[in-house]
Amino acid sequence: MTLQIPFFDGRAVFREIEDRVLQAVQRVLRSGQFILGAEVLAFEQAFATLTGARFAIAVASGTDALSLSLRAAGLAAGDRVLTVPNTAPATAAAIQAVGCRPIFADVHPDTLLICPEHVEQQMQAEVRAIIPVHLYGQPAPLNHIIALAKNAGAVVIEDCSHAAGAFDHGLHAGRRGDIGCFSFYPTKPLGGMGDGGICITDSDHLAARLRMLRMYGFNEHRICMEPGFNSRLDELQAAILHERLHVLEQQQQHRQRLAERYTKGLQKTGLRIPLLRSGITHAWHQFVVRVPQRKQLMKALQQMGIGTAVHYEHSLHLMPAFAASNGGQRFPQAERAAAEVLSLPCSRHVSEADADQIVEAVITCLS
Ligand SMILES: Cc1ncc(COP(=O)(O)O)c(C=O)c1O
């Protein structure tokens, strides 16, 4: 069988809301206001409504959202920040961008989410912030982690880059920690047509600091109060993201149906699928299976016209940029996951019939 199912199709994302995007772009261009105007404000308000947060502060990327959050929370150069090794390198790069030191905690073998027991062990290292990652769109378990952070006087900054539209017992991802950070990289559940990010918080203090830091450290009189960044979401991106926000839930439901088909269809293959926590709504940013013969399966699926991807192929603690702060510690669960995880196509351009064909193709390849 030869199919034509790419892993991701940016054109399909655009096609779905083409008229509305073109109108939004025209509206912005005709307004003559391109930076921090009515569109950003309206999008921030809409995002705050979606998540239930008191404040939403839009920034230039998900990486910046994390870096600015660490600075807003008072972290300084040399402070240790604990995160997971099986995340996008951006999580650790954001920590280093503000001079902090990324250290790691291993993940649970069934969910691939941060393991609270391992966080507890790692807290001995004077951790000033914890960044749990809601990997693939599944909210990570935070109860114990928040208690540990409180005890240690550390902040919790949730990396929600995969988790727009994800809920844990009715609470949107990003609402449990001090700040929740989202990426609008095009492939994300709420993807822009360019770069973007946003921070959510219920704290007046943190919201004010984030607004100040995203624009040179300006106070209301445009006096720089401390070293700041230039990290603003632009008006065009905000207008486009606002259009995408209208279809977020509908697209999440579509991915949910794909995930159900994959889960049911792949049950007998022996492939391992990350376990779902109870009480959560998964954003299904990625549908990930674990397969020891990953390379062969990827190649065989490619030959059948099915695109796949790996999130993530290398554990961060083994990368030269992050190895130094980690003192040679190993994280067996994350390392094993890195060798086995495989993401199947799971976005808007994939139909339910496509998902069935992908299941069939996987079964054929494995038999
Ligand atoms: C888990 C995670 N954190 C942070 C980021 C950084 O986001 P951005 O690419 O918008 O800077 C990404 C995006 O790749 C991500 O997947």
Side-chain angles (χ1 to χ4, degrees), residues 84-87 89 92 102-104 106 312-339:
V84 287
N86 64 334
T87 177
I103 60 168
F104 302 100
D106 212 349
Y312 297 93
E313 198 168 358
H314 305 285
S315 284
L316 298 191
H317 63 286
L318 300 176
M319 290 189 182
F322 312 123
S325 63
N326 152 71
Q329 248 191 310
R330 302 299 293 261
F331 302 97
Q333 300 303 341
E335 286 176 38
R336 195 165 157 210

Side-chain angles (χ1 to χ4, degrees), residues 5-9 12-13 16 164-165 189 244 246-263 281-287 344-356 358:
I5 311 176
F7 181 69
F8 177 75
D9 183 357
V13 173
E16 190 174 19
R244 287 218 62 197
H246 295 306
V247 292
L248 178 70
E249 191 180 350
Q250 181 193 321
Q251 293 191 344
Q252 187 276 339
Q253 284 166 0
H254 176 74
R255 291 194 301 275
Q256 170 78 35
R257 286 192 293 275
L258 297 179
E260 281 163 13
R261 284 185 117 85
Y262 280 144
T263 305
T281 302
H282 201 307
W284 292 114
H285 169 48
Q286 304 296 353
F287 186 90
L344 299 178
C346 189
S347 53
R348 191 62 197 94
H349 70 286
V350 182
S351 68
E352 291 181 55
D354 289 339
D356 292 341
I358 292 169

Side-chain angles (χ1 to χ4, degrees), residues 45-349:
Q45 278 165 358
F47 200 80
T49 302
L50 165 80
T51 55
R54 286 185 63 217
F55 306 104
I57 301 94
V59 295
S61 70
T63 308
D64 278 4
L66 292 165
S67 293
L68 267 69
S69 294
L70 290 167
R71 278 280 309 279
L75 271 83
D79 285 341
R80 288 197 185 84
V81 178
L82 186 64
T83 189
V84 287
N86 64 334
T87 177
T91 311
I95 296 168
Q96 285 184 330
V98 288
C100 295
R101 296 174 56 190
I103 60 168
F104 302 100
D106 212 349
V107 292
H108 193 282
D110 294 332
T111 59
L112 301 184
L113 298 170
I114 191 164
C115 172
E117 288 70 34
H118 206 237
V119 170
E120 190 164 353
Q121 288 168 28
Q122 299 295 77
M123 289 305 282
Q124 291 153 0
E126 276 189 52
V127 169
R128 294 258 359 254
I130 306 175
I131 305 186
V133 178
H134 302 305
L135 192 74
Y136 309 143
Q138 167 155 228
L142 295 186
N143 287 349
H144 191 41
I145 288 172
I146 287 173
L148 289 167
K150 270 210 175 105
N151 242 348
V155 289
V156 174
I157 294 169
E158 297 176 50
D159 185 340
C160 310
S161 294
H162 299 180
F167 292 83
D168 189 346
H169 293 85
L171 209 58
H172 197 284
R175 294 293 315 289
R176 305 280 314 279
D178 297 277
I179 305 177
C181 297
F182 296 77
S183 161
F184 300 135
Y185 186 80
T187 58
K188 299 291 193 264
L190 182 61
M193 291 167 188
D195 270 317
I198 204 163
C199 303
I200 60 169
T201 182
D202 286 345
S203 155
D204 294 270
H205 170 69
L206 291 173
R209 282 192 53 73
L210 286 164
R211 287 209 183 92
M212 181 180 77
L213 288 168
R214 79 172 165 187
M215 184 131 134
Y216 321 133
F218 271 176
N219 71 4
E220 67 274 27
H221 307 297
R222 300 173 86 80
I223 307 289
C224 292
M225 302 304 288
E226 63 178 286
F229 300 73
N230 173 354
S231 183
R232 303 170 296 223
L233 186 72
D234 63 63
E235 288 283 284
L236 275 174
Q237 248 357 285
I240 292 168
L241 283 162
H242 207 153
E243 295 304 334
R244 287 218 62 197
L245 198 58
H246 295 306
V247 292
L248 178 70
E249 191 180 350
Q250 181 193 321
Q251 293 191 344
Q252 187 276 339
Q253 284 166 0
H254 176 74
R255 291 194 301 275
Q256 170 78 35
R257 286 192 293 275
L258 297 179
E260 281 163 13
R261 284 185 117 85
Y262 280 144
T263 305
K264 193 161 167 238
L266 295 172
Q267 233 162 31
K268 291 198 187 108
T269 59
L271 291 181
R272 213 164 145 197
I273 293 160
L275 208 72
L276 302 193
R277 298 182 52 235
S278 65
I280 58 124
T281 302
H282 201 307
W284 292 114
H285 169 48
Q286 304 296 353
F287 186 90
V288 174
V289 295
R290 293 180 66 173
V291 50
Q293 324 82 340
R294 178 174 67 203
K295 219 170 165 184
Q296 295 92 308
L297 181 58
M298 278 185 95
K299 192 165 170 216
L301 289 173
Q302 189 61 51
Q303 279 163 357
M304 293 167 124
I306 299 167
T308 55
V310 176
H311 301 95
Y312 297 93
E313 198 168 358
H314 305 285
S315 284
L316 298 191
H317 63 286
L318 300 176
M319 290 189 182
F322 312 123
S325 63
N326 152 71
Q329 248 191 310
R330 302 299 293 261
F331 302 97
Q333 300 303 341
E335 286 176 38
R336 195 165 157 210
E340 295 181 350
V341 287
L342 178 68
S343 308
L344 299 178
C346 189
S347 53
R348 191 62 197 94
H349 70 286

